[in-house]
Amino acid sequence: MTQLPEVPPAGHGPKDVDLTGVRNFRDVGGLPTVDGRTVRYGRLYRSGHLAHATATDAAFLAGLGLHTIFDFRNAADHKLDGLDVELPGVRNVSIPLSDPADGAEFWRLVRDGNIQQLRSILADGKGTERMVASYRSIIRDRTAEHSRVLHALAEDSVPALMHCAAGKDRAGLSIAVSLLAVGVEKEAIEADYLKSNDAHRRYRIRRSDTSSAEMSDEVLELLDPLFGAEAEYLAAAFSTIEEIWGSTDRYLVEGLKIGPETRARLRERLVEDA
């Protein structure tokens, strides 16, 4: 008989669950808020895509009592990795946070390019610059999508799982925005975000069979900024909020259309009682 990972009882933090076919899975419960409370366990999860989930993984996820899975991948991601496994009774919501055409040539070179091409697009800090620009763009340009996520969480979508491909960037920012909305400390959001660098969580870098460049140390070093979680990236997102809206509160109200009643409902659903 297959042994499932243990689902913790309500109100208790889970062990560090390592699923077989799902990378970067974790519960964000336990994170501290600025008013001295903590995020509830069993309410908000994050991970990489679910396309390669094993039957045991799927059974574990089904046992979490999820209401909604938010998939922030686009059609190109689905073509590369596949669609999520279906979990019975769980609503699947697709909210692409990047355009399939955005940087299509860039990502083709990441998958297929030779070493000279990779150097031309990634060396000398260009990979890091691209990631910083991407984080800024998602915060600046995807306010409607993040508003939709927060309103859904406030209404009926908890417990929820948020994921993209690696569970690091698009899901990481959506988790960060959700945590900001309920008053989680930025330092705690960053600490959770950086867990995506753990060796067992990281997205497996894939290069196509047609690539002429082996996965040498140089190739891995060039690709690392794209597949690593860096505090600099998240800081760029937070600074973009400050630069455009002046404060997190104004970002939530003016940028995401999240009023006091919606924020109160979010706290009720996601944060422990005082």
Side-chain angles (χ1 to χ4, degrees):
M1 181 176 178
T2 302
Q3 181 68 36
L4 295 180
E6 182 180 348
V7 178
H12 293 74
K15 298 175 181 177
D16 190 12
V17 177
D18 189 8
L19 302 178
T20 302
V22 179
R23 308 288 285 187
N24 209 6
F25 172 86
R26 58 190 179 276
D27 186 337
V28 299
L31 297 181
T33 62
V34 294
D35 62 359
R37 296 190 285 172
T38 57
V39 176
R40 296 178 187 266
Y41 286 103
R43 299 300 177 90
L44 191 57
Y45 302 91
R46 59 182 295 173
S47 75
H49 70 77
L50 310 184
H52 301 160
T54 65
T56 302
D57 295 338
F60 170 78
L61 293 170
L64 297 176
L66 296 172
H67 182 287
T68 301
I69 293 173
F70 294 97
D71 183 353
F72 301 116
R73 299 179 297 160
N74 59 42
D77 297 309
H78 293 155
K79 183 176 181 181
L80 182 65
D81 288 318
L83 298 175
D84 287 345
V85 299
E86 291 288 334
L87 300 179
V90 180
R91 180 177 67 172
N92 293 280
V93 177
S94 176
I95 305 179
L97 283 181
S98 58
D99 188 329
D102 179 39
E105 176 63 15
F106 173 88
W107 288 107
R108 187 193 68 76
L109 291 178
V110 168
R111 293 194 303 272
D112 304 330
N114 61 38
I115 190 65
Q116 289 80 16
Q117 291 171 321
L118 290 178
R119 288 173 184 151
S120 73
I121 64 171
L122 297 173
D124 301 320
K126 288 193 284 290
T128 294
E129 290 170 4
R130 182 180 181 86
M131 294 302 297
V132 167
S134 173
Y135 274 57
R136 288 185 176 277
S137 174
I138 289 175
I139 289 295
R140 181 184 66 243
D141 301 332
R142 299 293 181 170
T143 52
E145 289 86 345
H146 284 142
S147 176
R148 180 181 171 191
V149 170
L150 292 187
H151 279 101
L153 292 177
E155 293 301 325
D156 63 358
S157 297
V158 177
L161 168 65
M162 298 184 185
H163 79 80
C164 49
K168 172 180 74 80
D169 303 317
R170 290 164 290 183
L173 282 175
S174 297
I175 287 286
V177 168
S178 302
L179 295 174
L180 284 176
V182 297
V184 174
E185 298 174 355
K186 288 182 179 178
E187 293 81 2
I189 296 174
E190 179 187 288
D192 174 73
Y193 166 78
L194 292 175
K195 287 182 179 180
S196 293
N197 280 329
D198 295 348
H200 68 289
R201 300 185 192 276
R202 284 180 66 119
Y203 185 74
R204 290 190 175 97
I205 300 173
R206 296 175 61 183
R207 296 267 286 160
S208 75
D209 294 337
T210 61
S211 170
S212 61
E214 299 291 332
M215 290 293 277
S216 66
D217 288 345
E218 183 181 1
V219 169
L220 289 172
E221 183 177 351
L222 287 168
L223 294 176
D224 187 65
L226 307 181
F227 296 99
E230 298 293 339
E232 179 182 358
Y233 304 164
L234 192 62
F238 290 155
S239 66
T240 300
I241 290 173
E242 297 295 326
E243 290 161 11
I244 295 176
W245 290 279
S247 69
T248 298
D249 285 341
R250 284 187 59 190
Y251 165 64
L252 292 166
V253 173
E254 298 174 13
L256 304 189
K257 313 303 180 188
I258 302 297
E261 291 183 3
T262 302
R263 287 189 76 177
R265 288 200 302 271
L266 282 167
R267 292 190 192 97
E268 288 173 8
R269 293 187 179 278
L270 297 178
V271 179
E272 295 284 0
D273 295 332

